[in-house]
Structures are given as structure tokens and as C-alpha cells.
Amino acid sequence: MVKILVLNGPNLNRLGVREPAVYGKKTLKDLEEDLCQFSKNEKVQFSFFQSNHEGDVIDAIHDAEERFDGIILNPGAFTHYSYAIRDAISSVSIPVVEVHISNVHNRESFRHHSVTAPATIGQIVGFGFYGYQLAAQALIHHIRGNEGEITEN
Ligand code: DQA
């Protein structure tokens, strides 16, 4: 059983009411229920945590090392400027996949750059809530050791 922490950062508790044209009308609870549904067909167990506070996100990353096999992280706006979260990701040995619900690349220019992504094994952007399932599949694949299929240059 692969254990994954799904860690959502600031303002993601506002899903459903926050800019629905960008993030859709479904809530964070809907997102978590979708993942629980997904986990029924996969040997994966999710735990969920959301915080609006940078230090809490950092603590959650640190604490996850002993308890989980990997992290799906949507750092929200921290993505674009939190070197502290980037360092937290680099400080743990478990893999992290970064997810963004919206396509940050067709939005404001400040969203185009992620300071956190270089510390992750990869980033999934622009596929809505489905991106979390893609991230879970990528993490499971990575954790089970199949990532050697990809040749790096
Ligand atoms: C987001 C994109 C960020 O730019 C933004 O600050 C968020 C949500 C996304 O999931 O699309 O809070 O991470």
C-alpha cells in the first residue's frame, strides 16, 4: 500500500467559491472524495491536509517523511516565492509532485515561475482536479521504481 499525503496550500480551502471560472465549482471536500474514490481501484491510501500558513505547510512536509511514501503538493501562491517551502521539499527524502489546478502558464506572468518545482520530481499543471489523480499515478509509478523508463539527457 502506497501512502500519499495530499497537501494543499493557501486559499485552496476556498475552492468552490473562489474564482469559479478559474478553479471550477467543486470544493476541496469534493476533490478529496474524488481521490478516495480513485484509491479504491489502486493500492494507495491518501491523507489530506490544507493550510493557509507557510510554516504549517513546511511542518507538514517535514512530518511526512516518516509517515508517507510521497507527497502531492499544491503550494498555491507560495509556489511563486517561497524558498522556505522549496528548502523543505529538498530537506526530505520522499518524492514530491507539484500540482496546479489552473494552467498557470496562460495566466498572469507572476504565476509562470515556480520556485518550488525544481525540488520536486515533476509538475502537473492545468488539468483541474484530475491533475491530482495524474500526480498520484506518477508518484505510484515513481515509488514502485518504474521511472527508469524515462531517459534523461
Ligand atoms: C494554483 C495556482 C497559483 O498561482 C494560485 O496562487 C493558487 C492556485 C492552482 O492550483 O492553479 O492558489 O496553485
Side-chain angles (χ1 to χ4, degrees), residues 10 12 18 23 74 76-77 79-80 99-102 104 107 111:
L12 292 161
R18 169 193 189 197
Y23 299 109
N74 184 342
T79 305
H80 313 300
V99 172
H100 297 289
I101 296 165
S102 63
V104 285
R107 300 184 62 197
R111 297 185 202 276

Side-chain angles (χ1 to χ4, degrees), residues 9 24 43 46 48 65 68-69 74-75 84 88 106 141 144 150 152:
K43 289 198 173 81
F46 294 110
F48 303 103
E65 182 161 44
F68 297 98
D69 301 304
N74 184 342
N106 67 14
H141 190 72
R144 294 198 178 135
I150 299 167
E152 294 202 21

Side-chain angles (χ1 to χ4, degrees), residues 20-64:
V22 177
Y23 299 109
K25 289 184 181 157
K26 288 169 92 182
T27 65
L28 182 59
K29 194 162 178 289
D30 293 329
L31 167 64
E32 293 175 355
E33 279 169 8
D34 283 357
L35 285 171
C36 287
Q37 202 59 37
F38 167 88
S39 71
K40 287 182 184 161
N41 302 319
E42 303 278 338
K43 289 198 173 81
V44 59
Q45 191 183 331
F46 294 110
S47 293
F48 303 103
F49 183 67
Q50 187 275 331
S51 176
N52 295 320
H53 306 281
E54 189 176 22
D56 288 347
V57 174
I58 292 167
D59 286 344
I61 293 167
H62 294 170
D63 294 346

